[in-house]
């Protein structure tokens, strides 16, 4: 979703213990790991005041600042909604309570029903309640609808009643004919005749229904847009593909400066809002990085600020695990028995022929231009897990390398990180020692460090120059971080080794690499010579 | 001296009240304004303990960390040296006292006499005292000499006696025949026959004597260098021209990274050692800048660090005055009576035809390449006082633009600062408003500010990219600093106005500019298009 550049994402409230925990976890991950502005739903259903308190406290702690306050559906297995003791009967009560407890801290959204609430047959009292609710809220998201005229009429009435807050129409792309029918019937949603007519002949063709759903949503959005609508809320229902196609169809492509304010996704956790620097090592393991730096003080007063003291949290328990089951892993990586097999696997990964490696799911898009030389390096026995090409001032809106505000220029020093055998390392270091542009760190599992870097200050490997700003340098290489990272990097070999039966040839081979090889990073500091980094492997 | 790149400079001790103050002032200016590592001489002559305490305390406070501890000459008008009550009799007593009071804080130098101390005819006891003294000291500077063999012999003896600290030979270029004769006779310095022979025929030709002095010093240094000598101490006696010629003859040219660690001369005051950023406005008035920021906390925790609070000290009393007397000023600038005269003066200054303007002594060397367009801009009525051309990644050892460590690249955004009439300002702002690469501030004497900059963070206008480092961004433009600077800038018009009789046409003209014009700075943020800045004046 991040790459689609939404203004915010929202996560439905999972009532009940484990479900509520899950909602909070998803929200926290979206907000602080993926850096998506997140809105958490909160419902009155089966929620005594204590649970509401608990949910709001945790949401605030996680940096969530947006709540969609809803009454909610009746509990599972019930057809009528009933308030519980010490709970709330209407969404407006919940909104009032949040405002009482948290003042303006939360941005509170409420639901709007362009066709009226199905449980209230008195349309006027229904509408009046809604207007009352809006007086306390910050924005409205509507129930799904398919009749744009009804929506636009309703918005007019709402505005005429003095409601000024933003209203987002709820667009639900049709995914399956059966589901669509069931839902519109249940919620008594008007379906324009032409929609029914278009669906009837294709109702048994799931693919065609989906395609029509996309087409219809595009038409609806264009119609609403023409009528002055500024924002849209899509009900993805975890089926984000249709939404992606709709956004493409609408040409709602987020400009580079919105989609990529920095070369990595900034966390939106409250304490990280000034975080502008990260080490390059965790580029493929953002979650682990964010969690291991969670305890740091305000950024940039953590590492790379004035105080360089904060230590990385322990990496155990932060998901140092393969993203594949042993079965999947064996299918992807086979049963390597000699070092050449490993070279080949890494090389194939660089060419895009492998579903992943323990250190990375897929090649970063910006590595596309260097697939071939990278693949060759791996065949030579330097097992790469992270790299970036040199960039000498690409425009900040460049499709591949761009990030940050408009009218700027972005730069990168060529970077490559790989595992290397002790013998090959010695040869390489001898070779690198004559090049004043090379800086490197190499370390084995035990922590024996070899480096030609004398200072303990970081090396900026990505930076951007923008009108009216200081230079932004969001990615660095530094020795202390590298030491923290190497524990994770070597542990991933061990995870791979455990895929195979103990004492099998594959386990021995992989464990041998983990025990004796070095993890090395090399920066070529002459970013104006894009090809220079490859010469070190000649 | 700064441009010659000395390891350190030293300043003789002026015994007595005003003289001592002067020594401290010179040392402080050299250390914290010019950024030269400074060694302060301290003598025992007429210095009771209280005065020594006062001198050391003030030296430390000024950031001086080097003391040359000497007994000193007899007081003026006396031929014998006599210790005073509560004073010290020998340099070694002074060294001991400094160590007792300050431990290792000061780096302490002592004098060495390759030909023996003239007041001690017992050569052996003289030598033994010297060796004792060296045990407490950090380095030796020798008395002047002209016989290199004597010096080299003496160094051998000193080393044989176990002295390991660095020894710097004292080289005094011959400046005038009379002075040379008087001094060598007084101090019983051996003069090799060939030196006497060379001087005899030219002794009445001051210029020839000076040239021979330079030639001789070069020969001596080369001889000592060949014998393993690593450093040299030149007695400049405020006649630095000979020393400059000697250094050129020896090809002792400081490499760019030593001579220019940053594009401005970093202060060496203790509390400023981490200062890496300054606003561009004071580029031609370093002294005023350093003094007005003296009260700031540790850099970069002052402005541009995390705390942006420190205010500039009041500019009054920091030498906001012309560097010329009214007579000199009238000679240089004449008596302008119409605005065109002022345009012409500024234009001539840009061409290098004027000794100075109130805001600047001379054109910065890097402005040489832009003299002509700059001169034209002034003729159009934009009276420039500060500017830098755009630089798109010059090597860090570039003779004109280079600064900082080796193997780096330096950048600049084009910058121009000028006074402009209100009418011309309005036209210019209208023109600039369509260019997304332009940022500007304009302010009049009263503080009415016009700007297109929305954020209050600084704009980096000079930066460098170096191997293994973060990006260094030593020069910035920011609104708050600009407001502090404008008071100085406008006051300099008033100083100029006062050169002429009150109510004379020149005074009225200049005062009129000061009262109604704006001071404006413009940054062209596209540093890759070197000529773009000039288009704004078309």
């Amino acid at each position: 979703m991040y790459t689609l550049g939404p203004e915010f994402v929202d996560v439905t409230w999972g009532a009940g213990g484990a479900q509520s925990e899950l909602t909070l976890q998803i929200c926290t991950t979206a907000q602080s790991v993926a850096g998506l502005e997140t809105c958490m739903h909160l419902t009155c259903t089966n929620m005594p005041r204590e649970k509401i308190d608990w949910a709001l406290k945790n949401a605030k702690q996680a940096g969530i600042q947006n709540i969609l306050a809803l009454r909610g559906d009746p509990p599972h297995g019930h057809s009528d909604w009933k308030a519980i003791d010490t709970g709330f009967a209407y969404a407006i009560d919940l909104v009032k309570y949040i405002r009482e407890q948290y003042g303006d801290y939360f941005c509170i959204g409420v639901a709007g029903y362009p066709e009226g609430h199905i449980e209230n047959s008195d349309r006027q009292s229904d509408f009046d309640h809604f207007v009352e609710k809006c007086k306390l809220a910050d924005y409205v998201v509507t129930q799904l609808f398919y009749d744009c005229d009804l929506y636009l009429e309703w918005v007019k009435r709402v505005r005429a009643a003095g409601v000024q807050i933003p209203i987002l129409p709820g667009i639900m792309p049709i995914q399956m004919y059966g589901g669509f029918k069931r839902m519109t019937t249940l919620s008594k949603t008007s379906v324009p005749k032409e929609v029914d007519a278009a669906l009837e002949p294709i109702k048994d063709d799931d693919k065609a229904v989906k395609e029509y759903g996309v087409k219809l949503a595009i038409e609806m959005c264009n119609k609403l847009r023409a009528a002055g609508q500024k924002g849209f809320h899509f009900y993805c229902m975890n089926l984000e593909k249709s939404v992606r196609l709709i956004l493409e169809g609408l040409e709602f492509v987020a400009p580079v400066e919105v989609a990529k304010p920095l070369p990595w996704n900034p966390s939106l956790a409250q304490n990280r809002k000034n975080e502008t620097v990260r080490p390059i090592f965790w580029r493929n393991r953002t979650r682990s990085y964010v969690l291991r730096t969670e305890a740091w003080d305000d950024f940039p007063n953590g590492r790379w600020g004035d105080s360089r003291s904060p230590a990385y949290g322990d990496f155990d328990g932060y998901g140092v695990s393969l993203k594949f089951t042993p079965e999947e892993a064996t299918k992807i990586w086979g049963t390597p028995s000699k070092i050449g097999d490993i070279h080949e696997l890494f090389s194939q990964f660089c060419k895009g022929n492998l579903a992943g490696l323990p250190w990375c799911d897929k090649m970063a898009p910006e590595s596309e231009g260097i697939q071939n030389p990278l693949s060759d390096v791996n065949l030579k026995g330097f097992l790469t897990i992270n790299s970036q090409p040199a960039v000498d001032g690409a425009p900040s809106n460049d499709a591949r390398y761009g990030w940050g505000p408009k009218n700027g220029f972005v730069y990168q020093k060529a970077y490559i990180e790989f595992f290397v055998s002790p013998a090959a390392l010695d040869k390489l270091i001898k070779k690198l020692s004559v090049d004043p542009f090379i800086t490197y760190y190499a370390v084995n599992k035990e922590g024996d460090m070899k480096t030609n870097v004398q200072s303990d200050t970081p090396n900026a490997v990505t930076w951007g120059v923008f009108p009216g700003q200081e230079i932004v340098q969001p990615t660095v290489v530094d020795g202390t971080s590298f030491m923290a990272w190497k524990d994770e990097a070597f542990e991933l070999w061990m995870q791979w080794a455990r895929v195979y039966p103990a004492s099998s040839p594959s386990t021995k081979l992989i464990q041998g690499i983990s025990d004796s090889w070095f993890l090395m990073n090399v920066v070529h500091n002459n970013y104006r010579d894009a090809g220079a980094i490859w010469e070190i492997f000649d």
Side-chain angles (χ1 to χ4, degrees), chain A:
Chain A
M1 281 181 140
Y2 186 89
T3 59
L4 300 175
E7 288 288 322
F8 67 90
V9 299
D10 50 351
V11 181
T12 53
W13 181 248
Q19 293 288 47
S20 312
E21 290 273 8
L22 190 60
T23 296
L24 271 166
Q25 269 177 33
I26 294 171
C27 286
T28 306
T29 300
Q31 181 89 16
S32 42
V33 178
L36 289 160
E37 189 64 46
T38 302
C39 171
M40 186 177 88
H41 292 201
L42 198 55
T43 64
C44 305
T45 307
N46 275 346
M47 290 286 284
R49 190 155 306 188
E50 299 72 33
K51 273 200 179 174
I52 297 282
D53 286 339
W54 171 87
L56 291 171
K57 188 172 146 239
N58 279 280
K60 185 176 177 186
Q61 208 168 343
I64 314 294
Q65 289 193 286
N66 312 287
I67 301 284
L68 187 67
L70 303 164
R71 195 201 63 177
D73 296 324
H76 202 68
H78 296 252
S79 59
D80 289 344
W81 201 95
K82 216 172 138 249
I84 57 167
D85 293 349
T86 83
F88 302 99
Y90 296 101
I92 191 170
D93 301 327
L94 181 54
V95 177
K96 276 182 189 160
Y97 185 73
I98 300 173
R99 283 280 182 251
E100 271 166 37
Q101 300 291 314
Y102 288 90
D104 280 346
Y105 175 77
F106 286 110
C107 170
I108 305 176
V110 292
Y113 297 86
E115 306 184 35
H117 197 285
I118 48 165
E119 293 178 30
N120 192 342
S121 51
D122 179 349
R123 298 286 302 251
Q124 189 56 46
S125 94
D126 184 62
F127 186 81
D128 294 343
H129 283 144
F130 171 71
V131 171
E132 276 309 302
K133 191 164 66 168
C134 288
K135 287 182 183 161
L136 295 167
D138 297 304
Y139 68 100
V140 177
V141 178
T142 77
Q143 179 62 293
L144 63 100
F145 63 86
Y146 293 96
D147 186 332
C148 291
D149 295 326
L150 275 180
Y151 169 79
L152 293 170
E153 273 307 307
W154 175 79
V155 170
K156 256 187 219 161
R157 256 179 87 207
V158 172
R159 295 297 181 220
V163 174
Q164 298 295 336
I165 58 177
I167 300 174
L168 300 173
I171 308 290
M172 180 160 335
I174 302 171
Q175 302 276 3
M176 306 270 277
Y177 185 74
F180 167 73
K181 268 292 173 203
R182 212 159 32 245
M183 199 179 46
T184 46
T185 308
L186 258 172
S187 60
K188 297 183 185 150
T189 306
S190 315
V191 177
K193 275 183 205 137
E194 60 273 23
V195 174
D196 266 336
L199 283 169
E200 188 56 34
I202 54 169
K203 63 183 177 187
D204 296 322
D205 181 344
D206 286 355
K207 190 158 166 280
V209 168
K210 263 190 214 296
E211 280 169 10
Y212 175 71
V214 169
K215 182 169 159 281
L216 175 64
I218 293 172
E219 285 167 8
M220 286 174 67
C221 290
N222 277 332
K223 182 168 183 178
L224 296 175
R225 193 150 48 144
Q229 180 63 43
K230 290 271 198 283
F232 300 89
H233 182 272
F234 294 98
Y235 290 102
C236 299
M237 311 304 278
N238 298 340
L239 298 164
E240 84 292 347
K241 196 183 158 194
S242 288
V243 176
R244 188 161 53 71
L245 293 172
I246 293 163
L247 293 177
E248 285 170 11
L250 290 166
E251 294 178 0
F252 277 8
V253 179
V256 168
E257 72 255 36
V258 172
K260 290 168 107 186
L262 288 172
W264 35 266
N265 302 359
S267 167
L268 291 179
Q270 271 301 295
N271 65 331
R272 303 183 83 113
K273 65 184 169 199
N274 294 323
E275 182 186 22
T276 55
V277 186
R278 285 186 187 175
I280 197 169
F281 314 121
W282 280 268
R283 192 167 50 158
N284 299 318
R285 295 182 67 79
T286 304
R287 185 182 164 76
S288 154
Y289 180 77
V290 170
L291 295 178
R292 289 185 63 184
T293 55
E294 220 177 14
W296 289 11
D297 301 335
D298 272 358
F299 296 81
N301 263 338
R303 199 171 288 278
W304 308 292
D306 291 317
S307 149
R308 287 169 189 272
S309 57
Y312 284 93
D314 198 346
F315 76 91
D316 292 331
Y318 288 124
V320 177
S321 60
L322 305 182
K323 295 209 174 161
F324 304 104
T325 64
E327 293 68 35
E328 288 167 341
T330 313
K331 205 171 153 199
I332 299 169
W333 301 321
T335 50
S337 62
K338 54 186 196 301
I339 188 68
D341 298 344
I342 304 277
H343 296 177
E344 186 61 28
L345 281 173
F346 275 75
S347 172
Q348 286 303 321
F349 175 76
C350 292
K351 287 184 175 156
N353 300 337
L354 220 56
L357 281 175
W359 301 268
C360 22
D361 294 342
K362 53 173 184 186
M363 294 289 283
E366 63 161 85
S367 296
E368 273 166 28
I370 55 173
Q371 284 187 325
N372 286 334
L374 211 48
S375 170
D376 289 348
V377 164
N378 280 281
L379 287 180
K380 288 176 187 169
F382 305 95
L383 305 176
T384 64
I385 58 171
N386 199 349
S387 66
Q388 69 176 23
V391 175
D392 182 19
S396 61
N397 64 352
D398 181 86
R400 181 172 285 175
Y401 301 114
W403 54 272
K406 278 189 290 198
N407 297 315
F409 299 99
V410 299
Y411 294 81
Q412 293 180 179
K413 291 178 178 174
Y415 174 80
I416 189 160
E417 183 181 333
F418 49 87
F419 292 98
V420 57
S421 72
L425 177 66
D426 287 346
K427 272 192 210 160
L428 185 58
I429 285 182
K430 196 171 275 177
K431 188 165 177 201
L432 298 185
S433 65
V434 298
D435 188 338
F437 281 111
I438 295 283
T439 46
Y440 67 83
Y441 292 89
V443 66
N444 65 11
K445 196 180 198 168
E446 301 304 314
D448 298 331
M449 169 85 95
K450 295 167 197 266
T451 178
N452 68 344
V453 177
Q454 274 134 36
S455 100
D456 65 344
T457 57
N459 185 358
V461 292
T462 309
W463 65 101
V465 185
F466 305 100
Q469 294 198 10
E470 289 186 88
I471 314 299
V472 186
Q473 33 188 338
T475 321
V476 297
V477 163
D478 89 310
T480 311
S481 308
F482 187 55
M483 286 300 273
W485 161 242
K486 70 100 178 152
D487 292 336
E488 270 183 66
F490 280 105
E491 174 61 21
L492 285 162
W493 281 113
M494 296 310 294
Q495 297 284 337
W496 187 1
R498 281 184 205 116
V499 162
Y500 309 103
S503 81
S504 70
S506 294
T507 297
K508 280 184 192 160
L509 172 68
I510 294 170
Q511 205 159 339
I513 294 175
S514 176
D515 289 346
S516 68
W517 284 38
F518 280 74
L519 176 64
M520 182 172 201
N521 70 61
V522 176
V523 177
H524 200 295
N525 289 277
N526 189 353
Y527 54 93
R528 311 193 88 180
D529 182 354
I533 186 97
W534 305 113
E535 289 165 19
I536 69 177
F537 301 105
D538 282 350

